[in-house]
Amino acid sequence: MRALIIFLLLTTSFFQISQSVQVTDSGYTFSLEAVKTLQKLMETDMSTNPLQAYGDAASLCADPDLPGELRVLCEKDDADEVFQRLVKIISPIDPCEICANVACTGC
């Protein structure tokens, strides 16, 4: 019984830690999941909906799939730059970091 309680406490702690990853830019802090959703919106396949191009913050802010916590940026003048930087923060610089290339060493 004691082992079960310890296991449940450790599992709950791990879950809390994994949910608390935050991305910060320009004094704003957002959850990693919200920034991942932003990245998906910005990388929307143009071939599936050519009218849906996210070149600016106005287009992103008009999308109902934009997470609510990111909507505070829609009222800011520098929203375009902040959106771009948030996605850049979570994007790997080197494709080898995610082993996307067969020629990567150490993968």
Side-chain angles (χ1 to χ4, degrees):
M1 181 68 168
R2 187 176 194 184
L4 178 63
I5 293 172
I6 292 172
F7 174 75
L8 290 175
L9 287 174
L10 289 174
T11 304
T12 304
S13 298
F14 178 73
F15 179 75
Q16 291 296 327
I17 291 170
S18 67
Q19 295 297 317
S20 65
V21 175
Q22 300 289 308
V23 180
T24 302
D25 182 70
S26 302
Y28 301 102
T29 302
F30 305 103
S31 69
L32 179 60
E33 291 305 316
V35 178
K36 284 182 179 180
T37 302
L38 172 66
Q39 182 179 29
K40 287 178 187 174
L41 290 174
M42 292 178 77
E43 293 175 349
T44 299
D45 186 8
M46 299 293 285
S47 64
T48 58
N49 189 357
L51 300 176
Q52 191 174 22
Y54 292 118
D56 60 357
S59 300
L60 283 166
C61 293
D63 192 313
D65 293 331
L66 183 70
E69 65 184 283
L70 291 170
R71 292 202 180 273
V72 297
L73 293 175
C74 294
E75 303 164 0
K76 306 297 179 187
D77 293 332
D78 63 343
D80 288 324
E81 293 85 17
V82 176
F83 283 146
Q84 293 292 331
R85 285 192 306 262
L86 286 171
V87 171
K88 188 175 181 181
I89 288 170
I90 67 166
S91 299
I93 296 170
D94 182 9
C96 283
E97 288 181 27
I98 57 171
C99 299
N101 188 344
V102 177
C104 295
T105 59
C107 292

